Amino acid sequence: MRTGTGATRETVSQAWSPVLAAAGVEGQELGRQILALAHQVAAHSLASPLTDPGREPEDKVALARRLFDGAVDGRVVDLLSAMVRGRWSKPVDLISALHDLGIEAILAGAHADGTVGEIEQQLFEVHERIADDRELREALAPSRRTRTEARVRLAEAVFAAHVSAPAMSLLRWCVRHRSEGGPLRNLRRVVELAAAMRQRIIADVVTAIPMTTAQEKRLRTILELRLGNRIDLNCEVDPEVIGGARIMIRNHVLDHTVRGAVAELRTRLAG
């Protein structure tokens, strides 16, 4: 029998799903509010009192409502109330769950109005811009030398005019949330979730020279037949692979490059 964080997440998700489905396009605003609420909980060290196993569940609910009633949509307050009634293995798990629910709500709302693909494309382009700009990448990366909100303001100054409001809400989260890989890893995660919302999978393909349109079409067809999903190709050129292609799908790598074959041969000879 599941207990703690896993059980609470499952119970909350089952109760929240019909609320989110009924919200339709309003999910985008609910998601924005959930992410903002998660930021407030983290910034003001509220996770511990809201998850304290020594406090009565209704006492924690009363605290949540006292803090957020009138500040956010009633549905968001109800969601938080349901969450603090449950048991959490660690206080930070509450914040992580709020993050996941906020991202899901924004993407679900965008899916309802047909703009989730637009958000996916915008955040993919943001990812590529940051990856290609070393100065910007370093300025947005978590650092003791800069404050988190200063990095968020920088992201807003650079990108707000070029992406939709829901995409900007997600980008703010990507900059604020500390994780291994920083904003780039967070952006990739959100882009993959948006693709999944559209029943698609992203495949990163690295080749020595650009593929032709016909080659891309053939590769996409092969991958779709093997995986049973629609595939979006993210093609990159790296002359160092020499020949062939390296394909990365989620955490799986298919290395059919000359460079990869040489590296494998060297490993075998050394062994």
Side-chain angles (χ1 to χ4, degrees), residues 9-24:
R9 271 182 173 264
E10 186 174 333
T11 300
V12 169
S13 178
Q14 290 174 353
W16 174 246
S17 291
V19 177
L20 183 57

Side-chain angles (χ1 to χ4, degrees), residues 67-108:
L67 289 168
F68 296 108
D69 261 339
V72 295
D73 189 284
R75 289 167 288 186
V76 175
V77 178
D78 289 343
L79 171 64
L80 181 61
S81 298
M83 295 174 79
V84 301
R85 281 192 182 97
R87 296 184 67 86
W88 298 89
S89 303
K90 301 187 297 292
V92 70
D93 291 347
L94 172 66
I95 298 170
S96 296
L98 284 166
H99 288 165
D100 291 345
L101 290 165
I103 294 167
E104 177 194 16
I106 290 175
L107 294 177

Side-chain angles (χ1 to χ4, degrees), residues 40-71:
Q40 292 300 314
V41 170
H44 297 288
S45 302
L46 297 173
S48 290
L50 287 171
T51 60
D52 183 356
R55 301 179 71 168
E56 290 296 323
E58 293 310 310
D59 181 36
K60 290 180 283 187
V61 170
L63 173 61
R65 292 194 175 278
R66 188 162 64 249
L67 289 168
F68 296 108
D69 261 339

